[in-house]
Amino acid sequence: EILAAIQGHFAGGVLPLASGASNRPLTGRKVLITAGPTHEPIDPVRYIANRSSGKQGYALAQAAVALGAETILVSGPVNLPIPPGAQMMPIETAAEMLKLVEAELPVDIAIFAAAVADWRVATAADQKIKKGTNGLPELKLAENPDILKTVATAKSKRPKLVVGFAAETQNVIDNAKAKLAKKGCDLIVANDVSADSGVMGGNRNRVHLVSADGVESWPELDKSEVARRLMEDFARRIGALT
Amino acid sequence: EILAAIQGHFAGGVLPLASGASNRPLTGRKVLITAGPTHEPIDPVRYIANRSSGKQGYALAQAAVALGAETILVSGPVNLPIPPGAQMMPIETAAEMLKLVEAELPVDIAIFAAAVADWRVATAADQKIKKGTNGLPELKLAENPDILKTVATAKSKRPKLVVGFAAETQNVIDNAKAKLAKKGCDLIVANDVSADSGVMGGNRNRVHLVSADGVESWPELDKSEVARRLMEDFARRIGALT
């Protein structure tokens, strides 16, 4: 059934692309990708972070370059080499990420693969918070900007295709459908990041594409292969590849 | 004045050690070093972390091996190569670190260079906390075990020398003196980690040795050189080097 879905995906005479330079359907197109975690400071030495290796976003940037796109990679702190040909712009917090993303618009395809912290600490301390005699510090949280929703619902400069990612530990498909509706994006790439899935930090991934057209579930593949196939899918969705 | 302190440090005919295998004063001694940050989970995808590259602790492990010690390196998540000859034991949380440290006792020298989180989230969630419609989640904190104090005040198996580190952003010496008294350790190695010091994540460090004997301030040096000199100092303090 999964195989059938994949075969359907490549039906209509469209074959997986060779990597030759002769076939670069995204030439002249601009692709923006966010990747990695954000770090939200508590004080000068502490922060709240998300677990994210950045591997999927970096693999997407490599695939975008391979298809000929001008590729902007807005990345949180990770330990990965910058894909040759991509322009990497480092950020630490969600607020910094939103600012850089908005400065890069308009783009043809915007892919939000970063694990952005939903909250930050309302007022990060200027000095290191000391172990007090007066009990524990209270961490007052504030909601971070919703970067995906902000770009997907923008009145001007909305990208042709806005793709979100949903890392879930349960009810993967249902949560992705809810996210699609709530964010106003065109597509959600959903995956299961529960501990036994091995996806967080690992090299393989099993994704589900959730759009208004329905759900397409892919088999488990290397993250680089997932990225290649996703980028071709995105190119098709904007009419750059038929 | 600083130079004088350093010259005093090497006075009495003691010269900096050559790295030759003929001069390994810690042969037959066991040295335990903690290094890196701890990560305290909020839920399966989020955590609270400390900024710590682990460089100083790893450099100390390398220096301990060079002086002939059996070297145990209990390390939080970092991106550093394991020093050849050291036994690296990976941990994530402060609770895991304490458990491994206690299992390694007795040791001759225990050096607590890790940036251990003072608190953890009281009850880490089993599932990813969703962005709710009912406002922000409340992060209830609980105090982590004080690993340095636990080992320094142990009734049995207390190491001959217990060394703490104090990363401060202000009042470096005063805070270190207070820490020495409170923890019951023999020595505090204090440094300034304020943003403009460049110490956090950098390759150089300027340390102050605070003990019952007073304060000794060293000039800014490479972290590897700081580590070499510190380990020789520690060897002297346990009588393994005169």
Side-chain angles (χ1 to χ4, degrees), chain B residues 26-168:
Chain B
L26 291 178
T27 301
R29 311 288 186 132
K30 186 173 177 182
V31 174
L32 173 81
I33 299 160
T34 69
T38 66
H39 286 182
E40 307 294 333
I42 298 172
D43 66 17
V45 298
R46 302 180 179 96
Y47 59 92
I48 297 179
N50 279 10
R51 287 179 213 281
S52 168
S53 66
K55 281 178 190 166
Q56 191 65 79
Y58 275 59
L60 283 162
Q62 192 167 23
V65 170
L67 294 188
E70 177 192 350
T71 305
I72 308 290
L73 178 61
V74 180
S75 173
V78 298
N79 279 282
L80 293 172
I82 300 171
Q87 186 186 344
M88 195 279 269
M89 304 172 80
I91 56 88
E92 185 146 312
T93 67
E96 290 164 5
M97 180 174 273
L98 176 59
K99 204 172 150 188
L100 276 190
V101 164
E102 289 188 319
E104 289 298 329
L105 299 181
V107 303
D108 295 280
I109 302 174
I111 305 164
F112 297 95
V116 179
D118 291 328
W119 345 284
R120 65 179 183 281
V121 178
T123 314
D126 285 342
Q127 301 295 341
K128 184 177 172 185
I129 300 169
K130 306 296 292 179
K131 259 187 189 177
T133 46
N134 47 356
L136 296 160
E138 196 189 343
L139 284 196
K140 268 204 147 175
L141 300 175
E143 213 161 329
N144 263 334
D146 188 329
I147 301 174
L148 171 58
K149 189 174 181 179
T150 301
V151 173
T153 60
K155 294 215 163 47
S156 73
K157 298 191 193 170
R158 187 193 189 277
K160 285 186 197 72
L161 184 72
V162 178
V163 182
F165 274 68
E168 303 290 345

Side-chain angles (χ1 to χ4, degrees), chain A residues 51-56 80 191-195 197-205 223:
Chain A
R51 286 178 213 282
S52 169
S53 65
K55 281 179 190 166
Q56 191 65 80
L80 293 172
N191 60 5
D192 183 344
V193 295
S194 56
S197 75
V199 166
M200 279 317 238
N203 288 317
R204 293 177 71 78
N205 202 356
K223 285 184 179 177

Side-chain angles (χ1 to χ4, degrees), chain A residues 92-225:
Chain A
E92 186 148 311
T93 67
E96 290 165 5
M97 180 174 274
L98 176 61
K99 205 171 150 186
L100 276 190
V101 164
E102 288 187 320
E104 288 297 331
L105 299 181
V107 303
D108 295 281
I109 302 175
I111 304 163
F112 297 95
V116 179
D118 290 329
W119 346 285
R120 65 181 181 280
V121 177
T123 315
D126 285 341
Q127 300 295 341
K128 185 177 170 184
I129 300 168
K130 306 294 293 179
K131 258 187 190 179
T133 45
N134 49 355
L136 297 161
E138 194 189 344
L139 285 195
K140 266 203 148 176
L141 301 175
E143 213 162 329
N144 263 333
D146 188 329
I147 301 174
L148 172 58
K149 189 174 180 178
T150 302
V151 173
T153 59
K155 292 215 164 48
S156 72
K157 298 192 193 170
R158 187 194 189 275
K160 285 187 196 72
L161 184 72
V162 178
V163 181
F165 274 67
E168 303 289 345
T169 56
Q170 56 186 353
N171 304 327
V172 177
I173 304 286
D174 283 350
N175 280 328
K177 283 180 179 169
K179 189 167 185 176
L180 181 77
K182 203 170 118 189
K183 305 292 187 179
C185 59
D186 304 300
L187 183 68
I188 293 284
V189 179
N191 60 5
D192 183 344
V193 295
S194 56
D196 52 342
S197 75
V199 166
M200 279 317 238
N203 288 317
R204 293 177 71 78
N205 202 356
R206 184 178 189 288
V207 301
H208 311 270
L209 275 65
V210 179
S211 71
D213 301 334
V215 180
E216 192 179 307
S217 292
W218 291 5
E220 188 183 297
L221 297 165
D222 267 14
K223 285 184 179 177
S224 59
E225 179 63 12

Side-chain angles (χ1 to χ4, degrees), chain A residues 27-48:
Chain A
T27 301
R29 310 291 186 129
K30 186 173 176 183
V31 174
L32 173 83
I33 298 161
T34 69
T38 67
H39 286 183
E40 308 293 334
I42 296 172
D43 66 18
V45 298
R46 302 182 180 96
Y47 57 93
I48 297 179

